[in-house]
Amino acid sequence: MDIKVIAFDADDTLFVNEPYFEETERKFCGLMEDYLSHQGLSQELFKVEIDNLPLYGYGIKGYILSMIEAALKISNNTVRVEAVGKILEYGKELLDKPIELLDGVEATLQALHGRFRLVVATKGDLLDQRRKLHKSGLGKYFHHIEVMSDKKEKDYLDLLKRLDITPSEFFMIGNSLKSDVLPVLAIGGHAAHIPFHTTWAHERIDHEVVHERFRSFTTISEVLPLFS
């Protein structure tokens, strides 16, 4: 491999994210349990989230708006204003969650820093992702931070153009096969999957990935021998 840039997803690759969303969803279901079962509430919220992705994109702020919209829809516009206030409170708590680095992340970045251009390539809200990276203390390791509206092939090609590299010089590391691996392989790049113990339903795929430019590891530190 002639790698010049190693890119890392942020949420659930560098630091914990999805468990906080699941905690907030449980609070939402508890708040709205007079209307539907928790399973039914989760399904309705997910439908609203997916419908809103083209409008709000990924991130906490869009999630807050989707919770409010779901509450109105589920209650047939009868939900009490106090409940809407609670949802806003849940969203602010989500925005203020502590940053919990995953095992081996900082040591891996330290080992690669200075030898490659390291990049964050993540989805979500720009302000929130920059805030998390600042609080994580990891910003000093990265040459570039790219908060993407989505992670499709075109999005990665646009990123490579800005970095002035070819796909064969790009290596992506992340926890989502759908977003971090498949589009990168499709454009001719390299990718590694570091699974997290829980994955948002929208990011799951139902088939295995087998490819000569693909690797799968248990922890992030296991990528280091590839670049020794």
Side-chain angles (χ1 to χ4, degrees):
M1 296 187 297
D2 183 24
I3 303 300
K4 292 183 178 178
V5 171
I6 303 174
F8 296 82
D9 177 52
D11 295 331
D12 298 322
T13 298
L14 300 178
F15 35 70
V16 172
N17 179 65
E18 183 59 22
Y20 295 148
F21 276 85
E22 291 180 348
E23 177 189 347
T24 302
E25 183 177 312
R26 287 192 292 271
K27 291 179 180 178
F28 173 82
C29 291
L31 182 69
M32 300 294 295
E33 62 186 0
D34 288 344
Y35 296 93
L36 282 175
S37 68
H38 282 216
Q39 182 180 2
L41 290 164
S42 292
Q43 290 172 345
E44 288 300 319
L45 175 58
F46 181 71
K47 289 177 187 175
V48 173
E49 282 184 85
I50 299 305
D51 287 345
N52 283 337
L53 282 179
L55 290 173
Y56 303 146
Y58 297 86
I60 294 175
K61 293 172 187 174
Y63 184 63
I64 295 169
L65 290 171
S66 291
M67 282 194 291
I68 293 172
E69 182 178 337
L72 290 168
K73 180 181 177 182
I74 291 162
S75 69
N76 196 26
N77 295 322
T78 63
V79 67
R80 294 173 60 85
V81 68
E82 291 85 359
V84 175
K86 271 291 185 184
I87 291 171
L88 291 172
E89 181 183 313
Y90 298 157
K92 289 180 179 179
E93 290 173 357
L94 190 55
L95 284 164
D96 199 38
K97 287 293 185 183
I99 302 303
E100 181 182 347
L101 296 184
L102 295 176
D103 290 344
V105 164
E106 186 152 21
T108 299
L109 295 177
Q110 286 175 343
L112 296 172
H113 184 244
R115 298 171 50 215
F116 301 88
R117 278 189 286 167
L118 304 185
V119 166
V120 173
T122 191
K123 293 188 294 193
D125 177 79
L126 177 62
L127 180 63
D128 183 44
Q129 292 292 16
R130 288 188 177 275
R131 175 191 61 82
K132 288 193 285 190
L133 279 166
H134 175 73
K135 289 176 70 174
S136 74
L138 299 178
K140 60 189 175 185
Y141 297 111
F142 293 105
H143 165 82
H144 178 78
I145 296 170
E146 185 86 2
V147 180
M148 307 160 80
S149 58
D150 208 340
K151 282 184 168 179
K152 303 286 179 62
E153 293 173 27
K154 183 184 182 303
D155 302 291
Y156 281 106
L157 288 171
D158 289 344
L159 171 60
L160 298 189
K161 186 176 181 180
R162 282 189 283 277
L163 295 171
D164 193 26
I165 59 170
T166 65
S168 64
E169 297 169 327
F170 181 72
F171 198 109
M172 180 71 197
I173 298 171
N175 69 296
S176 170
L177 289 168
K178 181 179 178 181
S179 293
D180 301 319
V181 172
L182 294 180
V184 174
L185 297 178
I187 65 171
H190 302 261
H193 182 227
I194 315 292
F196 191 62
H197 63 80
T198 183
T199 303
W200 184 32
H202 184 61
E203 294 293 335
R204 297 172 193 158
I205 63 172
D206 59 2
H207 60 87
E208 291 186 23
V209 177
V210 179
H211 198 286
E212 61 181 1
R213 297 192 307 276
F214 170 68
R215 307 285 191 282
S216 183
F217 300 104
T218 304
T219 64
I220 198 168
S221 57
E222 292 174 18
V223 306
L224 290 176
L226 288 176
F227 306 108
S228 60

